Amino acid sequence: MARQPIQRPDLGGPFPEHIAIIMDGNGRWAQERGMLRVQGHTAGVQSVREITTQCARMGVKSLTLYAFSVENWKRPSQEVKYLMRLLRIFLHRERKTLMDNGVRLGCIGRRDSLPAAAQNALRKTEELTAANDGMLLRLALSYGSRSEIADAARAMCAAAKAGELDVATIDEDTIRSYLYDPETPDPDLIIRTAGEMRISNFLLWQMSYSELYVTDVCWPDFRKDDLALALRAYARRKRKFGSLLDGKDAGDNSRNTA
Ligand code: FPP
């Protein structure tokens, strides 16, 4: 299928190059309907498909989805099994949609802790989509920001011990280079669904200057129109990056203007 041309909406302001989403509220969505919690996760896959496709078509460069946290391993084993199976099926079934939209798949997190079948499906989909030149879809899997920072600290110490890293030269760029995916720029916009006002151990280093948007809509109901509202809110934000908006030193607030 021929890829559709990029259609970036004119929102009268900056457009985010990297969007990260805390997909929350699957369980509540299901329980409100008298359904099993896991049915909320299944319904959430439709939103993953729609939002991924929509972001790719609008020319978003990177989309990071918080799909499974390190803390989620503490959930009942049946729910964990269900989520891992859903992930494997998703990685298999969505290959065509990813290819049709030029999407490249990536992952951040302790992927080695995923079941072998999920790891294989992940690797195969990454390999299949590796040459795609459109959006990067990063799944945060077995991800925790504190684990990421701890993993980076351990790797830095090992490098220093091996004489490959001079401790005196460690700066912010060094730390970034040891994080899971140093190449992808920080998220411009972080969306959280289902109303909770917390960060839940997500991209703590990378979100220093991200804009936050929280909606009460639960993830399985979060669709194109809800994304459009988030983008409109982002377009109205004045990003200062700790600087002065109008001064000479102001951060480059236009770097991601359409
Ligand atoms: C949070 O909802 C959501 C998750 C822990 C999993 C997210 C998974 C999906 C959206 C579907 C699978 C995704 C992929 C990429 C295959 P919750 O269960 O914490 O909801 P609650 O707060 O209402 O209980």
Side-chain angles (χ1 to χ4, degrees):
M1 199 176 93
R3 202 159 123 200
Q4 292 188 11
I6 300 290
Q7 285 194 317
R8 185 169 283 194
D10 180 7
L11 303 166
F15 187 83
E17 292 188 351
H18 181 179
I19 300 175
I21 308 184
I22 301 174
M23 307 183 290
D24 194 20
N26 293 350
R28 271 165 281 172
W29 182 91
Q31 280 164 341
E32 278 162 16
R33 287 161 179 76
M35 295 158 80
L36 298 172
R37 286 180 49 79
V38 291
Q39 291 177 286
H41 297 316
T42 303
V45 174
Q46 310 283 342
S47 302
V48 171
R49 183 182 303 120
E50 179 166 322
I51 297 305
T52 300
T53 305
Q54 180 67 1
C55 284
R57 291 188 178 155
M58 288 190 303
V60 171
K61 293 219 168 76
S62 310
L63 172 67
T64 302
L65 299 179
Y66 203 4
F68 194 85
S69 71
V70 278
E71 289 78 18
N72 286 156
W73 291 112
K74 291 185 231 152
R75 292 195 175 196
S77 68
Q78 286 307 319
E79 184 170 342
V80 170
K81 266 192 206 148
Y82 193 94
L83 277 165
M84 290 301 139
R85 188 168 160 270
L86 207 55
L87 171 67
R88 183 168 48 76
I89 295 170
F90 168 85
L91 289 168
H92 190 72
R93 286 211 187 129
E94 297 308 310
R95 282 176 193 161
K96 185 174 173 343
T97 315
L98 298 178
M99 294 306 288
D100 287 348
N101 290 286
V103 175
R104 183 164 58 91
L105 185 81
C107 165
I108 50 172
R110 289 180 170 168
R111 61 192 291 157
D112 293 353
S113 58
L114 300 174
Q119 285 188 47
N120 286 340
L122 184 60
R123 186 178 36 78
K124 281 190 187 145
T125 312
E126 281 175 327
E127 284 168 6
L128 180 77
T129 62
N132 286 347
D133 62 359
M135 186 180 82
L136 167 67
L137 169 64
R138 285 196 318 177
L139 296 181
L141 293 168
S142 195
Y143 177 85
S145 203
R146 289 178 173 183
S147 312
E148 178 176 32
I149 293 167
D151 290 350
R154 203 178 315 106
M156 276 193 291
C157 290
K161 214 170 154 190
E164 292 156 8
L165 176 66
D166 177 358
V167 173
T169 66
I170 294 176
D171 59 10
E172 292 183 13
D173 289 340
T174 320
I175 295 174
R176 172 184 292 278
S177 74
Y178 281 86
L179 298 177
Y180 293 140
D181 177 10
E183 307 304 325
T184 302
D186 293 344
D188 298 299
L189 171 64
I190 296 192
I191 298 173
R192 179 168 189 139
T193 61
E196 306 293 350
M197 294 288 179
R198 54 177 173 258
I199 296 304
S200 302
N201 201 11
F202 189 45
L203 301 176
L204 298 179
W205 174 276
Q206 298 87 340
M207 67 157 44
S208 299
Y209 285 102
S210 304
E211 295 295 321
L212 305 179
Y213 178 88
V214 178
T215 170
D216 285 335
V217 176
C218 288
W219 178 250
D221 282 334
F222 189 87
R223 297 304 169 94
K224 274 192 234 179
D225 291 348
D226 304 288
L227 177 65
L229 289 177
L231 292 173
R232 250 178 234 128
Y234 177 82
R236 291 194 298 271
R237 302 278 174 92
K238 303 270 180 270
R239 299 186 75 188
K240 297 181 0 184
F241 300 96
S243 183
L244 298 176
L245 259 188
D246 301 323
K248 201 164 157 257
D249 295 333
D252 183 1
N253 198 35
S254 62
R255 72 190 170 93
N256 47 12
T257 305

